[in-house]
Amino acid sequence: MLSSTRILSLLSAAALVYSHPVGHDSHDHVERGSLLSILGIKDWAQPRGHPVEKLFERQNAGAFNAANYPSGNPDATAMPDAWKQALSQAVAAGKIPKIVQTKDGNYPSDVDPNSAEICASAFQCRYTDGPLPDIWDAPDGMLGVSFDDGPTPASPKLYDFLKSQNQKATHFFIGGNIRDNPDIFMQAFNNGNDMAVHTYTHRWMTSLSNEDAMAELGWTMQIIYDMTGGRVPRYWRPPFGDSDNRIRSIARLFGLQQVDWNQDTDDWEIANKKLTLAQIEASLAKFISGPKSPGLIILEHELYPETVEAFVNAYPLMKSSGWDVRNIPDLFGAPYYQNAQDNTGAVTQSTILSGDVAGAGPAASNSSSITVSASRAPSSTVSHSAAATSSGISNSQNSANKPNGASSLVVGPVGIVASVIGAFIGAFML
């Protein structure tokens, strides 16, 4: 018969086994102790207690209810208190740069958007400093497939095609569109594509206050989190390519890494008759037939039937031209989410919070750790796209002064181990 003291000792040992990281695999995630490995439990996520857990509490554990989410521009005063507190602490700690707000992406004439202090991505400034640099290029020979502005009524045809080709894509979704098209959103998710953030109402982010920017990102992450079984998005793309060091710092409070692009189809212009389907397809063919260094990240949209058709028609050329076609995380061997490897793997019971980057860049998997008390706010290593082929934002989105446009399996893993040991002890004692 085992004594109660012995049983407690075994349970304590189980806790130590779990808490001691023993190594990293090729995705640079932490594997837990050998007992969990024996049990087949693997942690693809941020460790329990990671600060991102604090920002998102599950809003809707039952059936989807659109009333749980803003119906228009989010009201920053109605944000969850945890988001307000995270922002307030970051500002007080000097982690959010004091950069002037723009007017639809336009800075005052005496402000240099390409300075290291500002580094406006709509002006082709690439933030390359720190663990979460902007992603603009795919690795050589690779083509990153992503789509903006969904989900829309035009999206299902795209999703059906991607599924038929066994092709994964990254969807930079607008939160309000998810609210209005939840079934279409779920089609994309159930097909295995990764869900990313394109803000809630597609506003010029640099024109917003800190609080409004926080709400735009937070509510989009919240609705994705609620609808995907608690997955926390890893990537975001600023509308119009409009971001700077202030906005990047706010995005990092949610553990988000910014993804831009190095080629732009301007496909959305088809709606106002400025471009034809043939012209969009010609642009795609030119990009696809061009050099394979750097790799391609092409800006495309799932807005209209024509924009979907342009991609569908170009896809065979992508494959026949020898491109390795992947979604954004697969370009870098990274998990799809901050707390889950993909749409079917284990998910930590997390929420969303952060404050300073302590994770890794695109090539590593644990790239979303942020703590308010850690490092300084970003000051950029400024890098500009020299090639004329690189476009920061769609032409019609440009302003006159923009020359280029622009894991844990459950909440208590120790509890799982303790339960298994307890069951073993019980059997032994019998």
Side-chain angles (χ1 to χ4, degrees):
M1 178 76 77
L2 292 177
S3 69
S4 59
T5 301
R6 180 58 176 160
I7 292 172
L8 288 174
S9 297
L10 286 171
L11 292 176
S12 298
L16 288 174
V17 165
Y18 178 79
S19 64
H20 182 66
V22 297
H24 295 77
D25 70 1
S26 60
H27 288 302
D28 197 33
H29 65 265
V30 176
E31 286 191 13
R32 301 299 178 179
S34 59
L35 179 56
L36 287 184
S37 300
I38 292 171
L39 294 173
I41 299 174
K42 205 169 190 179
D43 189 351
W44 284 104
Q46 301 298 344
R48 187 166 180 256
H50 181 280
V52 84
E53 289 188 322
K54 309 234 190 269
L55 276 187
F56 291 116
E57 296 294 345
R58 191 74 179 265
Q59 297 289 318
N60 182 17
F64 175 77
N65 183 357
N68 290 339
Y69 310 98
S71 60
N73 293 338
D75 179 1
T77 66
M79 284 193 297
D81 288 341
W83 305 0
K84 295 177 182 177
Q85 183 178 12
L87 178 60
S88 177
Q89 290 177 347
V91 170
K95 310 308 178 187
I96 310 298
K98 295 180 180 179
I99 296 175
V100 64
Q101 291 173 228
T102 68
K103 181 175 176 55
D104 295 340
N106 293 308
Y107 293 86
S109 59
D110 60 344
V111 172
D112 179 8
N114 286 316
S115 67
E117 292 72 26
I118 296 176
C119 194
S121 52
F123 290 81
Q124 297 296 293
C125 183
R126 299 187 177 198
Y127 174 79
T128 60
D129 194 21
L132 290 181
D134 296 348
I135 297 174
W136 289 74
D137 304 319
D140 291 355
M142 293 186 180
L143 191 157
V145 178
S146 62
F147 302 93
D148 287 12
D149 294 356
T152 73
S155 299
K157 179 180 178 181
L158 172 64
Y159 304 163
D160 288 343
F161 176 78
L162 291 169
K163 184 176 182 180
S164 74
Q165 302 299 309
N166 195 29
Q167 178 64 59
K168 297 296 188 291
T170 298
H171 297 279
F172 291 97
F173 280 140
I174 295 173
N177 284 357
I178 299 173
R179 180 187 186 273
D180 295 340
N181 301 286
D183 292 340
I184 300 176
F185 171 88
M186 289 308 302
Q187 181 183 353
F189 177 75
N190 290 333
N191 283 359
N193 300 303
D194 64 294
M195 312 289 98
V197 172
H198 199 42
T199 76
Y200 200 82
T201 58
H202 204 278
R203 292 188 282 176
W204 295 88
M205 290 293 281
T206 62
S207 73
L208 301 180
S209 68
N210 292 345
E211 293 77 14
D212 285 337
M214 190 84 171
E216 283 281 342
L217 294 169
W219 279 112
T220 310
M221 294 190 74
Q222 185 71 63
I223 196 170
I224 291 174
Y225 175 87
D226 289 345
M227 294 188 67
T228 61
R231 287 167 173 80
V232 179
R234 177 175 292 274
Y235 300 113
W236 85 291
R237 176 173 284 162
F240 317 109
D242 180 45
S243 180
D244 59 21
N245 282 341
R246 179 175 67 92
I247 299 302
R248 289 185 185 94
S249 296
I250 294 170
R252 288 190 182 96
L253 297 180
F254 292 113
L256 289 169
Q257 184 170 11
Q258 181 173 312
V259 179
D260 298 278
W261 58 88
N262 59 15
Q263 294 290 358
D264 187 355
T265 61
D266 291 319
D267 57 354
W268 61 275
E269 294 268 33
I270 201 164
N272 55 27
K273 310 298 183 184
K274 289 187 177 181
L275 284 179
T276 65
L277 177 60
Q279 289 173 311
I280 296 168
E281 291 177 339
S283 292
L284 282 168
K286 179 181 178 181
F287 303 153
I288 296 165
S289 301
K292 288 189 169 60
S293 180
L296 289 175
I297 297 179
I298 303 174
L299 181 63
E300 299 183 79
H301 296 80
E302 53 187 273
L303 275 171
Y304 311 114
E306 295 86 351
T307 62
V308 171
E309 185 177 355
F311 170 79
V312 169
N313 292 344
Y315 185 78
L317 182 60
M318 296 177 187
K319 302 297 284 187
S320 65
S321 297
W323 288 98
D324 184 351
V325 185
R326 305 185 183 195
N327 61 356
I328 299 302
D330 283 345
L331 293 175
F332 306 103
Y336 289 11
Y337 305 95
Q338 294 184 48
N339 62 341
Q341 175 65 14
D342 52 30
N343 294 5
T344 59
V347 179
T348 58
Q349 294 294 321
S350 66
T351 49
I352 33 181
L353 191 158
S354 284
D356 262 337
V357 183
S365 67
N366 59 342
S367 60
S368 59
S369 176
I370 304 178
T371 51
V372 172
S373 60
S375 63
R376 59 182 170 79
S379 71
S380 304
T381 301
V382 181
S383 172
H384 303 285
S385 301
T389 57
S390 181
S391 175
I393 59 174
S394 304
N395 287 340
S396 72
Q397 297 167 343
N398 294 344
S399 298
N401 64 343
K402 296 187 181 63
N404 296 321
S407 286
S408 285
L409 197 56
V410 294
V411 176
V414 175
I416 292 179
V417 177
S419 297
V420 172
I421 292 176
F424 171 80
I425 292 170
F428 179 79
M429 293 173 68
L430 291 174

